[in-house]
Amino acid sequence: MTKSDYKQLSDLGEFGLIDHLTYSFQIKHSSTIKAVGDDAAVLDFKSKQIVVTTDLLVEGIHFNLSYVPLKHLGYKAVAVNLSDVCAMNAEPLQITVSIAVSNRFTLEALDDLYSGIHAACERYQIDLIGGDTTSSKQGLLISITAIGVLNDDTKPVYRSGAQENDLICVSGDLGAAYMGLQILERERRLFEQDASFKPSLDPYSYIIERQLKPEPRADIVSLLKHEKINITSMIDISDGLSSELMHICKASDKGCKIFEDKVPIAQETKDAAKDLNMNPIIAALNGGEDYELLFTTPLSSFEGINKIPGISIIGHISASDKNLLMITANGESIELKAQGWNALE
Amino acid sequence: MTKSDYKQLSDLGEFGLIDHLTYSFQIKHSSTIKAVGDDAAVLDFKSKQIVVTTDLLVEGIHFNLSYVPLKHLGYKAVAVNLSDVCAMNAEPLQITVSIAVSNRFTLEALDDLYSGIHAACERYQIDLIGGDTTSSKQGLLISITAIGVLNDDTKPVYRSGAQENDLICVSGDLGAAYMGLQILERERRLFEQDASFKPSLDPYSYIIERQLKPEPRADIVSLLKHEKINITSMIDISDGLSSELMHICKASDKGCKIFEDKVPIAQETKDAAKDLNMNPIIAALNGGEDYELLFTTPLSSFEGINKIPGISIIGHISASDKNLLMITANGESIELKAQGWNALE
């Protein structure tokens, strides 16, 4: 980029830039009384409870722009926050988006980022209600706060409600996002060694999409409600199945037993793991970023759960004096450890 | 700091660190159903409207740790968000706090930062309900979202409601925070030239405190409500009086006329301006960071306003075809321009 591109950005000024980036966002919900443009947004949820969650994404820590297109990054930044709202059994409605950008970002780059944010807001019917736009000394940083509502008789679902003998369920499949990241990292290294290298990502399109464009499982929350499933605890899988199981078991003061051959892993994930000489169950247990839902429900929900496509029962909750165990495909019992990603390393 | 200090931080892990930093925060409000510790906080405002605002503070852009103690920074980061809530005529109740820190920050440094956040939460009776903690490649970044409630028959006050002939009022005094910054910058430069230099900040304690420890004017919001003042528009003064007047006049499609000798400026601010050979009215108009409230009210509020200590009537709103004017002390009429701080430069 040239100096003149940057001038364009600072010449717009903070308020001009916010106007430019947000003018195409339409308000969709009657609970949004006032969105962008004053000291604060005004919201009205009538007598309903709400949930609030926030996430901070830092360039070089959470994403690498050498293989993450800015549009995908914008989409994903919204998606991961909506996923937290879904994990509370709530319907996501509003977000604020704050960004800090260094002077290497052009207006066109920010337009790309916001086109992804816009796409996610359209896909999930989300109102953009505020934010902040500033410079950074280095790199891009995105801070999003998401707000959701607990409609009608919907109760929030915490991590702490799992009961002994509850079924442990997960939506979708696990480990794909992590394997997608491994493939992207491999291609980046090959490209760095030889700039004429042409990546052939076709066989990996599913797992790469899982890495670049995760989808919050608002559909699962709706289906569970429709089937009147009693969810006793829930969490979204951002840091890997092991880590999330530990959160639920710790908060609920319980143990658990899951079965390796019940953990849902897509064929594309298994294929990529084979190509990279890795064990796909490790990706599912410790990989993270799948943004599927992990939840528990009483045994009596068995039939209801089976009516919902794409939910796997992977084990059950055990007494508080029991460990967190996985029974492997050949019948061994191993203890689960959280080896999920540490954002502070 | 040594490598071992840093190890301490990453060894705690993200969840251990959040626990460590937040365990001393008590929940104060019945609207906070669930705070830190799940995928999202759960809030219940019954049938009341709420306001939501968010701010991003970046080291080297918004603050300089060579003269801002971390405890003050934590306090100020909360205060500036509460100020936005107050500017909507709402009562601040909850915040989320996200931080990104580079590896030069020790656990003790983060403890200092959070002791300031804690002090502000105690002073203003705020519940800490969530956040995110992560690494940065460089420096410290703080992202705060604040939530407030519009109690009983309180209506949100926008920037857009100013009417012709309304009185223009400000709380407190202006320009002090900017002059405090100039003094701190001067002392830093002198210290850099001569490490044995001992700053003598005593005569400047008021303006330095205004820079380092601004207070949101929740008291003014309460007093205006108590006196049943009809506030037609309101904004907090973060970027200087000129810039905020322009926001109100633009949003309300009006002009304005203010009087230089009515703009409240503390003696300490005038003294410091004299020492630095500056004009104090420039600090008031363009300096920013005072976090006082600027509001408009019909002429009929004149008596009620005079009952509230520390409010100055500085002029009035004019018709939409009029400019934004300031009548100087010697009777000249000059046009106001926003020369407030541009976060993108």
Side-chain angles (χ1 to χ4, degrees):
Chain A
M1 65 175 282
T2 65
K3 185 73 185 162
S4 67
D5 287 324
Y6 175 49
K7 269 215 140 159
Q8 208 183 345
L9 200 58
S10 75
D11 284 355
L12 263 176
E14 184 180 350
F15 306 112
L17 180 60
I18 291 172
D19 285 349
H20 173 85
L21 295 173
T22 61
Y23 80 95
S24 69
F25 286 73
Q26 303 293 323
I27 296 308
K28 304 163 185 79
H29 297 289
S30 61
S31 54
T32 305
I33 309 294
K34 173 81 182 176
V36 177
D38 217 292
D39 294 292
V42 180
L43 306 175
D44 189 344
F45 296 101
K46 307 297 177 190
S47 56
K48 295 169 186 170
Q49 289 189 345
I50 63 169
V51 306
V52 179
T53 181
T54 191
D55 253 315
L56 197 54
L57 299 177
V58 182
E59 183 178 355
I61 308 288
H62 301 91
F63 56 87
N64 184 328
L65 290 176
S66 67
Y67 52 75
V68 178
L70 279 161
K71 182 172 179 175
H72 283 82
L73 178 64
Y75 191 96
K76 182 169 176 173
V78 176
V80 303
N81 277 281
L82 303 186
S83 180
D84 277 321
V85 170
C86 292
M88 297 303 290
N89 202 29
E91 180 194 357
L93 290 183
Q94 286 99 0
I95 55 168
T96 66
V97 176
S98 296
I99 57 169
V101 283
S102 71
N103 59 12
R104 76 180 158 88
F105 288 87
T106 60
L107 185 58
E108 289 68 30
L110 295 189
D111 283 341
D112 283 348
L113 180 72
Y114 270 75
S115 73
I117 293 170
H118 189 267
C121 285
E122 289 300 307
R123 168 72 182 82
Y124 291 99
Q125 293 292 296
I126 302 298
D127 289 344
L128 178 73
I129 59 161
D132 199 2
T133 309
T134 185
S135 306
S136 78
K137 286 283 177 185
Q138 189 188 329
L140 171 65
L141 189 140
I142 309 171
S143 175
I144 293 186
T145 296
I147 299 174
V149 69
L150 291 153
N151 284 311
D152 310 328
D153 53 350
T154 309
K155 295 260 183 296
V157 176
Y158 298 112
R159 300 172 179 182
S160 56
Q163 302 296 321
E164 200 177 337
N165 297 322
D166 275 359
L167 301 171
I168 300 173
C169 307
V170 294
S171 63
D173 60 81
L174 302 182
Y178 180 78
M179 289 314 306
L181 181 64
Q182 300 312 307
I183 294 293
L184 287 169
E185 286 276 8
R186 183 182 72 171
E187 305 299 301
R188 182 180 60 82
R189 284 193 300 271
L190 292 171
F191 180 79
E192 279 174 5
Q193 286 161 20
D194 174 5
S196 68
F197 170 76
K198 292 247 187 315
S200 62
L201 299 174
D202 278 359
Y204 305 116
S205 59
Y206 175 72
I207 60 171
I208 288 171
E209 180 151 346
R210 292 282 284 170
Q211 166 60 224
L212 294 181
K213 194 164 170 283
E215 305 287 357
R217 299 308 305 263
D219 56 335
I220 294 290
V221 174
S222 295
L223 289 167
L224 289 168
K225 190 177 176 187
H226 184 259
E227 293 294 337
K228 299 188 173 62
I229 305 292
N230 172 18
I231 318 168
T232 50
S233 70
M234 186 153 62
I235 192 170
D236 70 323
I237 301 179
S238 53
D239 294 335
L241 180 60
S242 280
S243 172
E244 314 305 350
L245 274 171
M246 291 190 80
H247 283 306
I248 283 185
C249 288
K250 187 182 172 195
S252 301
D253 191 23
K254 294 286 179 293
C256 72
K257 187 185 278 187
I258 64 166
F259 298 87
E260 181 180 4
D261 58 7
K262 300 290 184 194
V263 175
I265 299 176
Q267 190 57 47
E268 292 89 338
T269 306
K270 291 176 184 168
D271 292 346
K274 197 173 173 196
D275 290 354
L276 295 179
N277 204 21
M278 293 175 68
N279 186 345
I281 191 70
I282 302 297
L285 289 175
N286 300 329
E289 293 204 278
D290 289 314
Y291 298 103
E292 296 294 341
L293 292 173
L294 170 70
F295 61 92
T296 58
T297 185
L299 267 169
S300 56
S301 306
F302 185 81
E303 275 186 49
I305 289 292
N306 279 331
K307 282 187 199 160
I308 305 175
I311 291 188
S312 304
I313 300 171
I314 63 168
H316 60 265
I317 296 292
S318 51
S320 62
D321 58 348
K322 295 288 192 293
N323 289 330
L324 281 66
L325 299 177
M326 182 173 77
I327 310 301
T328 65
N330 51 26
E332 281 178 87
S333 175
I334 63 168
E335 196 173 334
L336 292 174
K337 296 216 188 321
Q339 300 181 335
W341 185 75
N342 183 349
L344 293 165
E345 274 176 354
Chain B
M1 67 175 280
T2 64
K3 186 73 186 165
S4 66
D5 287 325
Y6 175 49
K7 268 216 142 159
Q8 207 184 345
L9 199 59
S10 75
D11 285 354
L12 265 175
E14 184 180 351
F15 306 113
L17 180 60
I18 292 172
D19 285 348
H20 173 85
L21 295 173
T22 62
Y23 80 95
S24 69
F25 286 73
Q26 303 293 322
I27 295 308
K28 303 161 186 81
H29 297 289
S30 61
S31 54
T32 305
I33 308 295
K34 172 79 183 177
V36 177
D38 217 291
D39 295 293
V42 180
L43 306 175
D44 189 345
F45 297 100
K46 307 297 177 188
S47 57
K48 294 170 187 171
Q49 290 189 346
I50 62 169
V51 306
V52 179
T53 181
T54 190
D55 253 314
L56 196 55
L57 299 177
V58 182
E59 183 179 354
I61 308 289
H62 300 91
F63 56 88
N64 184 326
L65 290 177
S66 66
Y67 52 76
V68 178
L70 280 161
K71 183 172 178 175
H72 284 82
L73 178 64
Y75 191 96
K76 182 169 176 173
V78 176
V80 304
N81 277 280
L82 303 186
S83 180
D84 278 321
V85 171
C86 293
M88 298 303 289
N89 202 30
E91 179 195 356
L93 291 182
Q94 287 100 0
I95 55 168
T96 66
V97 177
S98 296
I99 58 169
V101 283
S102 71
N103 59 13
R104 75 181 160 89
F105 288 87
T106 59
L107 185 59
E108 289 69 28
L110 295 188
D111 283 341
D112 283 347
L113 180 72
Y114 270 75
S115 73
I117 293 170
H118 189 267
C121 285
E122 289 299 308
R123 167 73 181 81
Y124 291 98
Q125 293 292 296
I126 302 298
D127 289 344
L128 177 72
I129 59 161
D132 199 2
T133 309
T134 183
S135 305
S136 78
K137 285 285 177 184
Q138 188 188 329
L140 171 65
L141 191 139
I142 308 172
S143 175
I144 293 186
T145 296
I147 299 174
V149 70
L150 290 153
N151 285 310
D152 310 327
D153 52 349
T154 310
K155 296 259 183 297
V157 176
Y158 298 112
R159 301 172 176 181
S160 57
Q163 302 296 319
E164 200 176 336
N165 299 322
D166 276 359
L167 301 171
I168 301 173
C169 308
V170 294
S171 63
D173 60 80
L174 303 182
Y178 179 77
M179 288 315 306
L181 182 63
Q182 299 313 307
I183 294 293
L184 288 169
E185 286 276 7
R186 184 184 70 171
E187 305 299 299
R188 181 180 62 81
R189 284 194 300 271
L190 292 172
F191 180 79
E192 279 175 4
Q193 286 161 21
D194 174 6
S196 68
F197 169 77
K198 293 249 187 312
S200 63
L201 298 174
D202 277 359
Y204 305 117
S205 59
Y206 174 71
I207 60 171
I208 288 171
E209 180 151 347
R210 291 282 284 167
Q211 167 60 224
L212 294 181
K213 193 163 170 283
E215 305 288 356
R217 299 309 305 265
D219 57 335
I220 294 291
V221 173
S222 295
L223 289 167
L224 289 169
K225 190 177 177 188
H226 183 259
E227 293 294 336
K228 298 190 173 61
I229 305 291
N230 172 19
I231 317 167
T232 51
S233 71
M234 187 154 60
I235 191 169
D236 70 324
I237 302 181
S238 53
D239 294 337
L241 180 59
S242 280
S243 173
E244 314 306 351
L245 274 171
M246 292 190 78
H247 283 307
I248 282 186
C249 288
K250 187 182 172 195
S252 301
D253 190 22
K254 294 286 180 292
C256 72
K257 186 185 279 187
I258 64 165
F259 298 87
E260 181 181 4
D261 57 8
K262 301 291 185 192
V263 175
I265 299 176
Q267 190 58 48
E268 292 89 339
T269 306
K270 291 175 184 168
D271 292 346
K274 198 174 171 194
D275 291 354
L276 296 178
N277 203 21
M278 294 175 68
N279 186 345
I281 190 71
I282 302 298
L285 290 174
N286 300 328
E289 294 203 278
D290 290 313
Y291 299 104
E292 296 294 341
L293 292 173
L294 170 69
F295 62 92
T296 59
T297 183
L299 267 168
S300 56
S301 307
F302 184 81
E303 275 185 51
I305 289 292
N306 279 330
K307 283 187 200 159
I308 305 175
I311 291 188
S312 304
I313 299 172
I314 62 168
H316 60 264
I317 294 293
S318 51
S320 61
D321 58 348
K322 296 286 192 295
N323 289 330
L324 281 65
L325 299 177
M326 182 174 77
I327 311 301
T328 65
N330 52 24
E332 281 179 89
S333 174
I334 63 169
E335 195 173 336
L336 293 175
K337 296 216 188 321
Q339 299 182 336
W341 186 74
N342 184 349
L344 293 164
E345 272 175 354

